[in-house]
């Protein structure tokens, strides 16, 4: 690749395999899309009207008049003139036929606790009551933002759907993020209400979560945003599981407040298709996270359509996506897509490997899961800790999804043969927080699977790989380039919350040749991943080309990591780089240079780790901290992360003649490679 930035793809593994697996015939027979003619219906000749097929899966209060409005590129508008309510589509509309069917099944971590099935009727009741509370107790109105810092409990989808019911924009921050990280996102979104939980179970521990709310409120206040109310769900209603005290007048236990809203009904607010449904923050190239703003109509249509055709969800399935709802995968493919299709969606508390690596398969057997969705990092972990566990359980999957990072063919084969018992089709779905739903994948009953490649663009998505000069990289050339999407689609985010210029700059400026053009063809969307395209039309994603490190499927910005490291008083400079990691795909290593006169010590390394954990969260914990004499730098003073990453990964450092201090490279290499 010819990018200037440090690049994960430079350290990507290149697989040799060219093998195909055919979808099992048992699967094809029952699939939602088994006739290849559907591909023609979504071909470029039918763009953008093809997406009407997805929008027609929803119930609209007012039908739209314009499928796609391109008057103000790249701020695309979908289904203009249409009105609908996302909560109505995910809950109310299923009551007539399916009121007694489980909408959600929640599996608590302690195996001694009862699994809870929440029927569509019960979900309806709970979202009405909480929506009434948000409106009447918190005084929230259409367009206000609310931040959630919730773990994997049914209260999270209940809170999301309640906001959607009254037109309030939710912004869930992954529960594992630190209080400070949550506070940054509260401030950025201007939320005056924080919804959290007292405690939750993880890895055998009852974690105090309320403490993080206090840190979050304080961090937001330093940034000028005052949180008026903190709503605290209790893991065990009626008694608190957190030692952290409640702040009088600010903090409220939700179960206590709800008593006043018992059996209240709230009419779903009819929202314009273009009204924002939620924000989902993701890491970028600066320390300020990006609040990806998703729409109501376009987003819901897109996740419903892709969940139906690519995950093959039928209302009678029991569907389990193991992701955390705090990530986009959970929003789209645990909550909105599956519930819009009226299926049963399983959520679980804890981790896949506690109390042992048989837990996912036990849950699958007990609940009769038919569709299973997880990430390569979980698959690697489960294979390592329990390679034969799946055989011990009598579940039967028809379909499995993988998402979040490239999956090595070897890991794919274990997923197929051992987890799927050779009977389930696999889709490797490539997409991003910004995209709302899948961008590239095989259509499960139509295309053969190829381990390590995600597949062609999904229905209505026309990807292309460009080199740095906007030349199209041809299929089968074996050359890597920047994968882009040539066309708009309904699930694409509307903007970065509060930063429209950054939205245009980061995603649409690189390959736009005419900023005045109103033609969507002139505005390719830059995904930020390196990729190759096989002669068979299948894409293979190599990894990020920007300053983002993908750890266990989670995007961490190098700038965020470095900013956290340099808050340690002794640190002068920091560089975060990705290293190959057997289980998590990538891990983070931090290089630091100290201020003059300070000597290196274990204590400084520990402080750096601690600071990163406090400011971002435990998932960002570096694998190693290296204190080095100096950073390799360009003559203009830029730290050469690419060179450092090569050293960390025992790779060729490439051309270093343009460095201001080339001699430092050998010093660092000796120090680091000897220690590893
Ligand atoms: C959905 C999600 C997005 C980044 C993306 C890419 C990587 C996602 C992938 C994949 C290879 C796949 N990625 N799916 N790489 N194969 N099937 O993961 O969103 O958290 O925003 O991450 O993840 O690098 O750019 P998000």
């Amino acid at each position: 690749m010819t990018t200037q930035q440090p690049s994960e793809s430079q350290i990507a593994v290149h697989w040799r395999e060219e093998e195909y697996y055919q979808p099992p015939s048992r699967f094809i027979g029952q699939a939602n899309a088994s006739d290849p003619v559907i591909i023609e219906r979504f071909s470029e000749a039918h763009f953008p009207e093809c997406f009407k097929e997805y929008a027609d899966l929803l119930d609209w209060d007012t039908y739209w008049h314009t499928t796609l409005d391109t008057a103000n590129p790249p701020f695309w508008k979908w289904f203009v003139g249409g009105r609908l309510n996302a909560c109505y589509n995910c809950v109310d509309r299923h009551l007539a036929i399916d009121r007694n069917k489980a909408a959600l099944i929640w599996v608590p971590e302690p195996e001694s606790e009862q699994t809870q099935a929440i029927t569509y009727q019960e979900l309806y009741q709970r979202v009405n009551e909480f929506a009434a509370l948000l409106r009447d107790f918190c005084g929230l109105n259409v367009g206000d933002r609310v931040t959630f810092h919730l773990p994997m409990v049914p209260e999270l989808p209940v809170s999301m759907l309640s906001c959607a019911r009254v037109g309030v924009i939710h912004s869930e921050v992954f529960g594992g993020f630190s209080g400070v990280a949550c506070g940054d996102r509260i401030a950025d979104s201007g939320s005056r209400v924080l919804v959290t939980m007292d405690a939750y179970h993880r890895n055998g521990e009852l974690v105090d979560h309320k403490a993080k709310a206090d840190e979050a409120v304080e961090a937001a206040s330093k940034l000028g945003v005052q949180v008026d109310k903190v709503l605290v769900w209790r893991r065990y209603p009626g008694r608190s599981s957190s030692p952290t005290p409640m702040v009088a007048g600010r903090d409220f236990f939700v179960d206590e407040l709800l008593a006043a809203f018992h059996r209240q009904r709230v009419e779903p607010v009819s929202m314009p298709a273009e009204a924002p449904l939620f924000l989902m923050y993701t890491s970028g190239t600066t320390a300020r996270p990006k609040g990806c703003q998703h729409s109501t109509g376009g987003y819901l249509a897109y996740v419903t359509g892709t969940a139906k055709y690519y995950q093959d969800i039928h209302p009678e399935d029991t569907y389990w996506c193991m992701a955390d709802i705090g990530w986009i995968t959970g929003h789209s493919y645990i909550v909105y897509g599956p519930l819009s299709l009226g299926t049963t969606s399983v959520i679980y508390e804890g981790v896949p490997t506690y109390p042992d690596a048989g837990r996912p398969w036990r849950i699958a057997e007990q609940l009769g899961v038919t569709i299973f969705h997880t990430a390569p990092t979980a698959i690697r972990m489960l294979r390592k800790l329990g390679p034969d566990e799946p055989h011990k359980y009598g579940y039967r999957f028809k379909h499995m999804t993988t998402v979040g990072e490239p999956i090595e063919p070897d890991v794919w084969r274990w997923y197929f043969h051992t987890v799927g018992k050779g009977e389930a089709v696999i889709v490797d779905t490539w997409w991003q927080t910004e995209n709302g739903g899948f961008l590239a994948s095989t259509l499960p009953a139509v295309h053969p699977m190829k381990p390590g490649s995600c597949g062609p663009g999904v229905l209505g998505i026309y990807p292309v790989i460009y080199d740095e000069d906007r030349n199209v990289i041809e299929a089968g050339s074996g050359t890597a380039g920047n994968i882009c999407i040539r066309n708009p689609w309904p699930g694409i985010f509307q903007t970065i919350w509060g930063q429209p210029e950054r939205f245009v700059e980061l995603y649409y400026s690189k390959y736009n040749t005419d900023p005045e053009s109103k033609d969507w063809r002139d505005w390719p969307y830059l995904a930020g991943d390196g990729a190759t395209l096989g002669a068979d039309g299948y894409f293979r994603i190599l990894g990020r080309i920007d300053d983002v490190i993908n750890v266990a499927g989670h995007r961490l910005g190098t700038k965020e990591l470095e900013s956290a490291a340099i808050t340690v008083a002794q640190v002068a400079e920091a560089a975060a780089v990705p290293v190959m990691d057997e289980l998590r795909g990538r891990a983070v290593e931090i290089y630091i240079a100290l201020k003059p006169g300070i000597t290196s010590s274990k204590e400084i390394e520990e402080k750096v780790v601690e600071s990163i954990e406090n400011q971002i969260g435990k998932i960002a914990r570096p694998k190693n901290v290296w204190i080095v004499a100096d950073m390799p730098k360009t003559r203009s003073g830029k730290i050469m992360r690419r060179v450092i990453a090569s050293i960390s990964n025992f790779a060729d450092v490439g051309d270093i003649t343009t460095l201001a201090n080339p001699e430092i490279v050998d010093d660092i290499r000796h120090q680091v490679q000897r220690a590893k």
Side-chain angles (χ1 to χ4, degrees):
M1 312 220 5
T2 51
T3 48
Q4 307 304 312
Q5 296 301 311
S7 149
E8 281 212 17
S9 50
Q10 284 161 337
I11 57 166
V13 188
H14 292 282
W15 5 93
R16 298 151 278 118
E17 287 88 341
E18 283 285 328
E19 53 175 333
Y20 295 93
Y21 288 69
Q22 294 304 324
S25 50
R26 178 174 89 103
F27 176 80
I28 299 174
Q30 58 79 65
N32 281 328
S34 52
D35 186 342
V37 80
I38 194 170
I39 296 169
E40 165 51 29
R41 289 210 299 276
F42 278 84
S43 68
E44 210 165 326
H46 300 291
F47 181 85
E49 298 304 323
C50 54
F51 284 114
K52 183 176 178 299
E53 190 164 333
Y54 283 181
D56 282 342
L57 296 171
L58 305 179
D59 282 12
W60 294 80
D61 305 327
T62 312
Y63 212 61
W64 66 91
H65 50 71
T66 306
T67 303
L68 171 64
D69 173 352
T70 61
N72 183 24
F75 298 90
W76 318 118
K77 289 189 162 55
W78 283 91
F79 310 124
V80 185
R83 296 186 86 97
L84 77 168
N85 183 279
C87 178
Y88 177 87
N89 273 280
C90 292
V91 184
D92 304 41
R93 68 167 170 159
H94 305 309
L95 296 178
I97 300 173
D98 282 328
R99 69 173 59 231
N100 294 322
K101 179 161 89 182
L104 299 168
I105 298 181
W106 180 56
V107 188
E109 180 175 277
E111 293 194 83
S112 56
E113 283 181 27
Q114 278 257 288
T115 291
Q116 290 179 18
I118 299 167
T119 64
Y120 275 97
Q121 178 66 33
E122 286 159 350
L123 184 60
Y124 171 77
Q125 182 154 340
R126 294 187 68 175
V127 296
N128 271 280
E129 291 173 359
F130 193 63
L133 188 159
L134 290 174
R135 190 187 58 185
D136 301 338
F137 178 74
C138 300
L140 291 166
N141 285 311
V142 167
D144 289 342
R145 281 81 55 209
V146 171
T147 297
F148 304 157
H149 197 201
L150 288 168
M152 284 290 280
V153 288
E155 287 74 14
L156 174 47
V158 165
S159 303
M160 290 163 68
L161 293 164
S162 304
C163 283
R165 196 166 189 86
V166 290
V168 166
I169 303 169
H170 60 76
S171 170
E172 154 73 359
V173 177
F174 170 57
F177 270 157
S178 68
V180 176
C182 179
D184 285 351
R185 287 151 179 81
I186 291 174
D188 192 85
S189 62
S191 300
R192 304 213 163 259
V193 174
L194 169 65
V195 182
T196 187
M197 184 161 248
D198 60 345
Y200 61 93
H201 291 276
R202 189 179 164 86
N203 235 337
E205 245 184 88
L206 185 60
V207 182
D208 174 16
H209 192 59
K210 166 65 173 59
K212 286 186 178 175
D214 295 358
E215 290 162 19
V217 171
E218 194 193 321
S221 136
K222 281 193 191 141
L223 295 166
V225 172
Q226 221 50 53
V227 172
D228 309 326
K229 289 195 171 61
V230 178
L231 305 183
V232 185
W233 290 97
R234 282 193 279 196
R235 176 63 179 74
Y236 299 96
R239 66 179 159 101
S240 177
S241 307
S242 161
T244 309
M246 298 287 274
V247 176
R250 187 198 73 182
D251 300 352
F252 303 90
F253 289 127
V254 179
D255 54 328
E256 289 178 0
L257 296 177
L258 277 176
F261 296 93
H262 185 58
R263 300 198 68 80
Q264 288 218 4
R265 294 282 175 273
V266 174
E267 273 305 299
V269 178
S270 190
M271 299 297 290
E274 278 298 301
L277 179 61
F278 66 87
L279 306 180
M280 169 64 62
Y281 280 86
T282 190
S283 297
T285 47
T286 69
R288 184 172 172 192
K290 301 179 282 190
C292 297
Q293 176 185 317
H294 284 282
S295 72
T296 305
Y299 170 82
L300 195 63
Y302 196 69
V303 297
T304 306
T306 49
K308 176 168 181 171
Y309 293 132
Y310 284 89
Q311 299 198 282
D312 201 54
I313 294 178
H314 296 61
E316 53 282 8
D317 279 310
T318 298
Y319 166 88
W320 184 20
C321 168
M322 283 211 317
D324 194 291
I325 298 174
W327 305 112
I328 191 68
T329 298
H331 274 48
S332 299
Y333 298 112
I334 296 178
V335 181
Y336 286 113
L339 296 184
S340 169
L341 290 169
T343 198
T344 299
S345 184
V346 176
I347 61 182
Y348 86 115
E349 183 184 45
V351 297
T353 49
Y354 180 87
D356 58 74
R359 182 167 184 230
W361 324 128
R362 234 169 6 257
I363 294 174
E365 180 187 81
Q366 273 160 12
L367 303 181
V369 172
T370 48
I371 305 178
F372 182 71
H373 182 168
T374 192
T377 183
I379 305 170
R380 288 186 209 109
M381 196 82 80
L382 288 163
R383 178 171 79 152
K384 183 172 175 193
L385 298 179
D388 301 317
E389 286 297 310
H391 297 308
K392 300 183 189 160
Y393 299 93
Y395 65 84
R396 233 182 144 187
F397 296 150
K398 68 166 186 181
H399 182 293
M400 305 194 297
T401 307
T402 162
V403 70
E405 27 163 354
I407 182 165
E408 299 80 358
D410 193 41
V411 176
W412 191 99
R413 283 186 219 104
W414 184 77
Y415 195 37
F416 182 80
H417 292 293
T418 305
V419 177
K421 306 177 178 179
E423 294 181 322
V425 76
I426 296 181
V427 290
D428 178 352
T429 57
W430 169 73
W431 60 295
Q432 313 169 295
T433 304
E434 293 87 340
N435 311 149
F438 306 145
L439 290 185
S441 166
T442 49
L443 189 57
V446 173
H447 296 124
M449 302 164 257
K450 180 164 134 187
S453 291
C454 50
V458 301
L459 295 170
I461 298 290
Y462 321 127
V464 61
I465 302 179
Y466 289 128
D467 71 9
E468 288 298 307
D469 304 318
R470 207 182 192 270
N471 300 309
V472 174
I473 291 182
E474 296 302 331
S477 68
T479 310
N482 297 321
I483 187 164
C484 295
I485 309 299
R486 288 193 293 113
N487 61 303
W489 67 99
I492 183 66
F493 69 143
Q494 300 174 293
T495 187
I496 302 176
W497 179 261
Q499 305 180 71
E501 307 78 26
R502 199 168 164 214
F503 168 74
V504 179
E505 162 65 24
L506 288 177
Y507 298 96
Y508 292 99
S509 64
K510 188 171 173 86
Y511 292 114
N512 169 263
T513 44
D514 175 10
E516 298 304 314
S517 171
K518 303 278 181 225
D519 186 341
W520 59 261
R521 289 169 194 81
D522 293 325
W523 293 91
Y525 165 83
L526 177 74
D529 280 325
T532 60
L533 176 59
D536 53 9
Y538 283 28
F539 291 91
R540 175 168 293 175
I541 306 298
L542 303 173
R544 305 287 311 175
I545 55 169
D546 54 16
D547 294 339
V548 172
I549 305 177
N550 188 334
V551 178
H554 304 318
R555 283 160 67 176
L556 302 172
T558 49
K559 277 286 180 320
E560 282 175 287
L561 292 156
E562 291 161 7
S563 307
I566 52 185
T567 58
V568 174
Q570 295 90 339
V571 173
E573 287 180 311
V577 297
V579 288
M580 301 294 285
D581 185 86
E582 194 197 331
L583 291 177
R584 293 179 294 172
R586 298 281 183 280
V588 173
E589 289 201 349
I590 304 282
Y591 283 71
I592 54 178
L594 301 176
K595 288 180 181 159
I598 310 255
T599 38
S600 149
S601 72
K602 202 84 222 129
E603 197 197 330
I604 299 176
E605 287 173 22
E606 280 158 13
K607 277 193 183 156
V608 168
V609 173
E610 198 183 309
S611 170
I612 289 173
E613 286 191 354
N614 286 340
Q615 294 188 40
I616 305 173
K618 282 209 164 45
I619 47 162
R621 188 188 169 87
K623 189 170 181 174
N624 285 303
V625 175
W626 302 106
I627 300 180
V628 294
D630 196 4
M631 301 282 179
K633 286 189 187 143
T634 61
R635 298 213 165 105
S636 61
K638 279 207 178 70
I639 298 177
M640 291 294 285
R641 290 183 190 76
R642 178 181 62 75
V643 171
I644 302 178
S646 304
I647 296 173
S648 261
N649 289 285
F650 292 81
D652 179 8
V653 293
D655 180 14
I656 53 167
T657 52
T658 56
L659 292 190
N661 53 351
E663 67 291 343
I664 196 73
V665 174
D666 267 345
D667 293 353
I668 300 178
R669 188 189 287 122
H670 285 138
Q671 176 187 348
V672 170
Q673 296 188 350
R674 196 175 311 133
K676 278 195 175 190

